[in-house]
Amino acid sequence: MYKIQLMDNFTPESTRALSQDSYFIEQTERPNGMMVRSSIVADQQITRDLLAISRVGVGVNTINVEKCTENGTVVLNTPGTNANAVKELVVASLLIAVRPIFTAVKQVKELRGSHILAESEAIREKLIGHELQGKTVGILGLGSIGKQVGRICYELGMDVLGYARSPHDLSFLTQVALTELLKQSDFIVILLPLTAETNHLLNDKAFNLMKSGTCLLNFGRDQIVDNQALLAAIDQGKIAQYITDFPQAEFIGHDKIIMLPHIGGNTHEAIKDGEQMASRHLRNFLLYGTVRDSVNYPNARLLFQAPYRLTLFYQDSKGIWAEIVAILAQYELEIGDMSSNRKNGNVYTMIDLDTINQEKIEKALVEMTELVPVRRVRLLTKPVGIK
Ligand SMILES: NC(=O)C1=CN([C@@H]2O[C@H](COP(=O)(O)OP(=O)(O)OC[C@H]3O[C@@H](n4cnc5c(N)ncnc54)[C@H](O)[C@@H]3O)[C@@H](O)[C@H]2O)C=CC1
Ligand SMILES: O=C(O)CCC(=O)C(=O)O
């Protein structure tokens, strides 16, 4: 029986994978599994009991992934589930940047009487915008969202530049160095994760390279932009408009900044897909040891045919595998099917066992857990009667 904590509001249909059978109960104290959307997971919540955190969404900056890795807690996410939603909001934001849509709506609302059509014709001359077609857009980050945004911008007739760390073969954009992208773009769209490398990537130096009148859209994370440098760049005319999905106190009331309340992935479709995928990922890890879409464990899948499965997550260090095998041999645990995969200096191994002696397996588990590089050992019993 696994205890699951739901850190945000999820619909029962979305978490059906966890509530359908008797393998899971929902409770809030020292859970084994956590489902979370954008809520922050505090370090003290990463207890020894916590086997898995399943994030509905992509960014994992609200979770201490390093601590989870040391603790042997898998961190899963749902890549791609909200990419279309973010793409559509980026398109809306680009249009908001070039056409005075909000001002137009406000001015028409103020008109009264039967001559409204004639009066609105009269205000049109002060509501002239620009077109996206023919302008250059630079996309920072060519992941699930960046690629989709690149394609749609191309279809809108824009010249599309992209910045990524490795080469991508994308016919609709030209991949360039960061400095080139900053120099050439009329619109820059941030679709990067927040990491030590991207923190304040857009700083004084970056703004200085930009053209005057650049529009900056941030759907990645707040801290990718240095706020003080941005405000200075607006004062200097480098940035004509900043549209961000991450409101900041120092921007309140600024007439060149539009703040949205983190609604990039906030559509019914994206939320449903993300919740369903996150609950499936969590269930499959807890019951079968299967890993899909994790930021700290390697992907791993092995048909669960034997009655027992041992899973180990350990640092990839010299001699560790020999030590594990020696313990298995000492307690007469015969290796059946197995899989072993590596990621970022850690190994995740699943070993199926046809028979176990209770006393011996318990001793083996203790000895394996005591091996210094080993972060997590689990013994799974093949689940029965699961739909
Ligand atoms: N505003 C919102 O509601 C949403 C915001 N996001 C944000 O957008 C980010 C991207 O989302 P996805 O495209 O779905 O993720 P993804 O993981 O598919 O793509 C991220 C891309 O950024 C690249 N990258 C990472 N560090 C980089 C660096 N230093 N330089 C250049 N490229 C780098 C990765 O290689 C990857 O291709 C998320 O991490 C999240 O922070 C994602 C979904 C919704
Ligand atoms: O909509 C959400 O809660 C998460 C969106 C997001 O920022 C992400 O997926 O990284």
Side-chain angles (χ1 to χ4, degrees):
M1 181 76 88
Y2 294 104
K3 298 178 221 161
I4 308 294
Q5 181 176 9
L6 303 179
M7 294 274 290
D8 292 280
N9 289 327
F10 301 108
T11 62
E13 302 84 65
S14 297
T15 53
R16 189 168 292 143
L18 296 170
S19 52
Q20 220 175 16
D21 53 56
S22 56
Y23 285 90
F24 303 100
I25 54 163
E26 263 178 44
Q27 78 148 45
T28 50
E29 293 287 301
R30 292 187 74 92
N32 310 115
M34 213 181 248
M35 278 264 293
V36 61
R37 204 170 160 210
S38 284
S39 293
I40 292 171
V41 178
D43 280 8
Q44 60 269 26
Q45 290 177 287
I46 305 169
T47 68
R48 221 20 226 162
D49 293 332
L50 189 62
L51 302 170
I53 299 176
S54 202
R55 152 77 157 124
V56 180
V58 193
V60 288
N61 54 298
T62 45
I63 301 166
N64 185 340
V65 177
E66 203 179 316
K67 185 166 166 106
C68 286
T69 305
E70 281 162 15
N71 194 47
T73 302
V74 68
V75 181
L76 308 151
N77 67 355
T78 63
T81 50
N82 53 21
N84 187 66
V86 181
K87 174 195 82 180
E88 291 184 5
L89 197 63
V90 170
V91 172
S93 303
L94 284 168
L95 292 168
I96 285 167
V98 288
R99 307 292 293 269
I101 298 169
F102 293 148
T103 314
V105 170
K106 188 166 171 273
Q107 291 192 5
V108 172
K109 259 191 178 170
E110 282 160 10
L111 300 178
R112 293 283 175 272
S114 56
H115 300 298
I116 183 165
L117 182 59
E119 285 174 26
S120 51
E121 289 289 330
I123 58 172
R124 280 193 326 148
E125 67 188 34
K126 293 217 171 68
L127 296 169
I128 299 171
H130 286 280
E131 293 182 22
L132 295 172
Q133 181 169 255
K135 308 291 185 311
T136 300
V137 61
I139 297 166
L140 300 180
L142 298 177
S144 305
I145 308 171
K147 283 184 202 143
Q148 290 207 28
V149 169
R151 182 181 289 278
I152 198 139
C153 287
Y154 174 80
E155 313 240 316
L156 287 168
M158 303 185 83
D159 292 326
V160 188
L161 304 178
Y163 165 66
R165 287 174 300 186
S166 49
H168 292 256
D169 186 18
L170 302 170
S171 58
F172 47 85
L173 62 74
T174 308
Q175 212 173 314
V176 292
L178 178 61
T179 48
E180 275 316 300
L181 184 146
L182 298 174
K183 280 182 196 165
Q184 291 182 35
S185 302
D186 302 303
F187 299 85
I188 296 174
V189 187
I190 304 173
L191 292 166
L192 288 164
L194 175 63
T195 63
E197 230 181 299
T198 63
N199 188 37
H200 284 195
L201 184 72
L202 293 194
N203 51 21
D204 281 327
K205 227 170 108 194
F207 286 118
N208 280 336
L209 291 171
M210 293 180 193
K211 289 185 190 177
S212 286
T214 301
C215 288
L216 179 64
L217 280 65
N218 184 2
F219 285 87
R221 283 293 181 264
D222 50 347
Q223 288 167 58
I224 297 171
V225 173
D226 175 343
N227 290 347
Q228 294 317 311
L230 171 83
L231 289 170
I234 295 177
D235 287 345
Q236 289 155 16
K238 282 276 178 183
I239 296 291
Q241 193 157 27
Y242 180 54
I243 301 182
T244 177
D245 210 9
F246 311 99
Q248 306 285 293
E250 57 264 63
F251 298 160
I252 295 171
H254 200 299
D255 64 352
K256 297 214 165 117
I257 299 180
I258 293 177
M259 300 194 276
L260 301 167
H262 195 179
I263 52 168
N266 217 29
T267 64
H268 291 291
E269 294 86 346
I271 292 169
K272 184 173 161 215
D273 284 357
E275 290 181 357
Q276 288 182 349
M277 187 189 278
S279 70
R280 269 199 316 274
H281 283 355
L282 182 55
R283 167 199 168 96
N284 291 343
F285 178 77
L286 292 175
L287 292 185
Y288 312 118
T290 303
V291 180
R292 182 133 182 229
D293 299 324
S294 167
V295 295
N296 62 344
Y297 271 50
N299 277 349
R301 188 162 175 246
L302 183 65
L303 210 58
F304 204 156
Q305 284 174 315
Y308 306 101
R309 169 168 290 175
L310 197 59
T311 73
L312 296 112
F313 180 65
Y314 50 95
Q315 282 175 286
D316 193 3
S317 53
K318 202 161 176 256
I320 179 66
W321 178 240
E323 289 190 80
I324 292 167
V325 171
I327 296 172
L328 291 169
Q330 183 188 344
Y331 293 104
E332 293 160 13
L333 295 162
E334 212 152 300
I335 298 177
D337 287 345
M338 70 167 272
S339 74
S340 204
N341 302 283
R342 282 175 177 69
K343 182 168 180 153
N344 302 338
N346 291 298
V347 185
Y348 181 59
T349 301
M350 293 197 272
I351 301 170
D352 283 0
L353 305 168
D354 280 327
T355 51
I356 55 165
N357 168 301
Q358 200 55 38
E359 203 182 317
K360 287 182 178 167
I361 188 85
E362 277 168 21
K363 285 188 181 151
L365 291 176
V366 170
E367 285 191 27
M368 285 182 196
T369 308
E370 283 170 355
L371 295 172
V372 175
V374 173
R375 301 179 187 279
R376 183 71 71 170
V377 183
R378 296 173 66 206
L379 178 68
L380 308 179
T381 304
K382 187 178 174 185
V384 283
I386 293 187
K387 286 165 226 128

